[in-house]
Amino acid sequence: MIDYLGLEADLGEEERMVRDTAREFVENEVAPDVGQHWIDGTFPMDLITEMGELGFYAPNLDGYGLPGLSETAYGLLMQELEAGDSGLRSMASVQGALVMYPIHAYGSDAQKAEWLPALGGGERVGCFGLTEPEHGSDPAAMETTAERDADGYVLNGSKTWITNAPISDLALVWAKDTSADGDPVRGFLVETDRDGVTTNEIDEKLSLRASITGEISLQNARVPAENVLPGVEGMKGPLSCLTQARYGIAWGTVGAAMDCFETALEYATDREQFGKPIAGFQLQQEKLAEMATQISLGQLLAHRLAELKERGDLRPEQVSMAKRNNARMAREQSRVAREMLGGNGITADYSPMRHLTNLETVYTYEGTDDIHSLIIGHDLTGIPAFE
Ligand code: FAD
C-alpha cells in the first residue's frame, strides 16, 4: 500500500512482521465478506477469537501473556485493521485500549489475572461504558451512580452508543461513587450476566455497520467491592483510556484512507473513458496527488506520535491533534476516492463508500472534531473554551 515517503525503511523486523500478518489477515479473512457484513449490520463473530490468537488485542502491553510490542507495531496493526474496516479496528481498540489497558494500568492483581489473558485471547469480549444518553462530549456530567452497600456497590444509570455492549461478557462502567467525598468517577468491572444489567443493540445505524453497538442499562446492578478498579479515581481514568484509543485511531484512519487511495488508483488505471484510462486525465491525477500527499502527512503524524509515545513524552493534546487531523483527512479523502469510482463508487462492491460512512462515526467518537479543536485551542492559548 502507498508509502510515498519510504517509511517502510525505518521499520524494524518485528514491526514489518506485525504489519504483514495483519495485512494478510485482512486480505484473506476480512475483505471477502466485510461488505456483506456491513450491509447486514453484523460483525464477523468468528474473527474475535482468531484476532486474539493472532495477538491483535493490546499487543503493546506486557505481562499476562501480552508481548509488549513497540508503539509503531501497534499503530501499524491499527492501520491494517482499519484498512479492512473501521468496525474491525474498533473491535481491537475497544478490547485493547479501552478495556485491557485500564485493567492493566489500574486493576488489582486478581482483576488482571482474571481478565487480561481471557480478553487478550479473544475468549471474552469487553466494552467501555462512558457515554450516556444526555452526556456525550461532556462525560464528566454523567448521571450513572455507584452507591456503596455492605460489601459492594449498587449501580444505576444508562450508557449508550457502547461498541460491543450486546456481545460483551464484561462492561467497564464509569460511574460516580456517591459514598466518597465529591462523588469521584470510578471504573467498575461489571459482568454483563449480573442481575440488573441489560444490553440492547442499537439498530439501523448508517455508519460503522460492521460493528455491534448498544446500550447498557443498570438497574440496581450489584457488584462486589473487588470489582472497582483500585488504581484510579476521577475523570483521569476514562480520559487516559481515550488517549490510548485515540492513538490507535490516528493510525487506523490513515489505513482507511490508504485503502481508498489504492482502490481509486487501481480503478482509475483500469477504467477507460474517452478512449483512455481516466488516470490519464489531469483532473484525476490532481486528485490522486492530493490524496497521496494528505495520506503521507497523516502517516508522518502517526509515526511521530509513536516515537513520542515510545519514549514517554506523548501529551494527550498531541494525540488530539493527530486524531482530529487524520480522521478529518480520511473522511475527506474517502469522499474523493468514492467520486473517482463514479457510479460504482456508491456500491458495497468497492470500499470507499463503506469507509466514508464509517468515518462519520470515527470523526465523532473518541472526541468529536470540534472537541479536539477546543482541546488544542486550550493548549495553544491557555484559555479553556469549555470546562
Ligand atoms: P454531543 O456531545 O451531543 O455533540 C453534538 C454536537 O455538538 C457535536 O458536533 C459536538 O462536536 C458539538 N459540541 C458538543 N460540545 C461542544 C462544545 N463545547 N463546543 C462546540 N461544539 C460542541 N461511547 C462510549 O462510551 N463507548 C463506546 O464504545 C462508544 N462507541 C461508539 C460507537 C459509535 C458507532 C458511536 C456513534 C458513538 C460511540 N460512542 C461510544 C459515543 C461517542 O463517543 C459520542 O457519540 C461522542 O462523544 C459525541 O457525543 P454525543 O453523540 O452525545 O454528541
Side-chain angles (χ1 to χ4, degrees):
M1 286 211 279
I2 179 169
D3 177 19
Y4 203 72
L5 300 179
L7 291 161
E8 164 92 20
D10 297 331
L11 300 182
E13 202 180 312
E14 185 181 74
E15 291 160 349
R16 281 201 190 109
M17 199 189 75
V18 170
R19 195 248 346 248
D20 293 345
T21 304
R23 191 168 288 181
E24 206 177 303
F25 167 79
V26 166
E27 252 170 50
N28 297 335
E29 311 285 326
V30 179
D33 34 60
V34 69
Q36 194 57 50
H37 277 291
W38 192 93
I39 289 169
D40 295 343
T42 52
F43 185 82
M45 297 295 287
D46 50 320
L47 298 186
I48 295 177
T49 43
E50 197 173 336
M51 286 167 73
E53 283 156 17
L54 287 166
F56 287 176
Y57 303 127
N60 53 341
L61 302 181
D62 53 17
Y64 300 90
L66 300 165
L69 296 182
S70 75
E71 296 298 345
T72 302
Y74 175 72
L76 289 165
L77 170 63
M78 297 298 119
Q79 170 191 289
E80 296 302 320
L81 294 180
E82 194 145 0
D85 193 84
S86 299
L88 193 72
R89 199 269 310 138
S90 296
M91 172 76 214
S93 283
V94 169
Q95 183 93 337
L98 295 180
V99 184
M100 292 173 66
Y101 167 79
I103 294 174
H104 191 270
Y106 310 123
S108 65
D109 289 344
Q111 290 168 348
K112 291 179 196 180
E114 180 178 0
W115 291 107
L116 291 178
L119 292 165
E123 293 132 36
R124 308 267 197 94
V125 174
C127 65
F128 177 89
L130 179 65
T131 303
E132 298 185 354
E134 302 304 325
H135 309 284
S137 297
D138 183 15
M142 69 176 66
E143 293 169 49
T144 301
T145 55
E147 197 181 335
R148 188 80 217 224
D149 77 353
D151 55 354
Y153 289 89
V154 178
L155 287 120
N156 279 290
S158 59
K159 300 286 177 180
T160 193
W161 291 119
I162 309 304
T163 302
N164 286 348
I167 58 166
S168 284
D169 304 287
L170 176 71
L172 169 51
V173 171
W174 298 95
K176 286 187 171 165
D177 176 359
T178 55
S179 61
D181 274 355
D183 299 351
V185 169
R186 307 283 312 259
F188 295 85
L189 298 177
V190 182
E191 296 88 345
T192 53
D193 58 3
R194 284 188 179 274
D195 288 346
V197 181
T198 48
T199 56
N200 295 320
E201 186 165 348
I202 298 175
D203 292 328
E204 299 181 352
K205 301 197 311 279
L206 299 178
S207 170
L208 211 70
R209 287 188 53 74
S211 170
I212 306 298
T213 316
E215 302 164 333
I216 305 173
S217 161
L218 301 153
Q219 288 178 318
N220 292 321
R222 201 178 172 284
V223 293
E226 57 263 27
N227 280 28
V228 67
L229 291 179
V232 75
E233 217 180 83
M235 284 304 288
K236 173 180 179 285
L239 293 181
S240 65
C241 303
L242 294 178
T243 300
Q244 302 301 315
R246 288 166 181 170
Y247 171 79
I249 294 173
W251 279 89
T253 44
V254 175
M258 287 162 70
D259 185 60
C260 288
F261 173 82
E262 297 300 335
T263 308
L265 178 61
E266 192 184 332
Y267 190 89
T269 313
D270 289 349
R271 174 76 175 170
E272 293 194 2
Q273 289 294 288
F274 301 98
K276 67 173 184 180
I278 56 171
F281 292 104
Q282 291 175 350
L283 284 174
Q284 302 305 319
Q285 290 189 4
E286 191 278 335
K287 287 175 190 160
L288 289 168
E290 182 62 14
M291 216 185 288
T293 306
Q294 293 306 327
I295 289 170
S296 300
L297 293 171
Q299 288 171 332
L300 287 177
L301 252 181
H303 279 265
R304 177 62 180 158
L305 279 202
E307 283 171 10
L308 292 171
K309 194 167 192 292
E310 200 65 62
R311 62 176 205 227
D313 287 340
L314 185 61
R315 295 190 301 120
E317 293 82 359
Q318 293 166 326
V319 179
S320 282
M321 179 180 279
K323 190 276 181 183
R324 175 181 180 273
N325 184 77
N326 289 1
R328 182 185 275 224
M329 178 279 289
R331 183 187 190 230
E332 282 164 11
Q333 299 311 323
S334 62
R335 179 162 287 116
V336 176
R338 204 295 306 150
E339 176 188 334
M340 288 181 66
L341 268 64
N344 285 328
I346 70 151
T347 69
D349 294 341
Y350 296 89
S351 64
M353 184 83 177
R354 178 168 50 79
H355 283 306
L356 189 165
T357 58
N358 285 342
L359 287 160
E360 290 298 324
T361 287
V362 182
Y363 186 81
T364 296
Y365 72 12
E366 299 277 349
T368 67
D369 183 90
D370 292 332
I371 292 299
H372 288 298
S373 299
L374 300 180
I375 291 170
I376 300 164
H378 180 187
D379 195 39
L380 294 172
T381 64
I383 306 168
F386 67 96
E387 294 302 333

